[in-house]
Amino acid sequence: FFFDMTDPALPDALVLDRLFATIEDRKGADPSTSWTAKLLSKGPEYICKKVGEEATETVIEAVAGRPDKIATESADLIYHLMVLWAST
């Protein structure tokens, strides 16, 4: 892919790539000092439960019509989904 480095949207377009790279970097971190490392140390089954919890919370906020909470819960869902991807 070719990226136009002068495109002002580029940093936003790469934010998920940077997040995933950070999650990957945490694989070897100390679980007592990194939430991501702690999640990864518990394995995919535990992380799947967290993904389910965050998905449920996102749906609850959507049904309640709270856009600010939907955004927050969606961010949590995306993060936990990426942790799951990194764990497998």
Side-chain angles (χ1 to χ4, degrees):
F1 292 91
F2 173 75
F3 294 107
D4 176 1
M5 298 308 283
T6 63
D7 182 352
L10 185 60
D12 292 338
L14 296 177
V15 70
L16 295 177
D17 290 330
R18 290 194 314 266
L19 174 59
F20 192 72
T22 300
I23 291 167
E24 286 283 319
D25 286 345
R26 297 296 193 274
K27 280 185 174 181
D30 181 356
S32 69
T33 61
S34 167
W35 173 248
T36 301
K38 185 175 184 175
L39 287 172
L40 289 166
S41 74
K42 293 185 177 221
E45 294 81 14
Y46 179 81
I47 300 166
C48 284
K49 290 177 187 175
K50 294 298 292 180
V51 170
E53 289 171 16
E54 296 302 338
T56 300
E57 290 170 6
T58 302
V59 170
I60 288 168
E61 297 303 342
V63 170
R66 294 188 285 252
D68 57 327
K69 298 289 186 177
I70 295 168
T72 301
E73 294 301 338
S74 294
D76 288 347
L77 175 57
I78 291 167
Y79 163 76
H80 284 90
L81 184 58
M82 290 182 134
V83 173
L84 177 62
W85 294 340
S87 76
T88 59

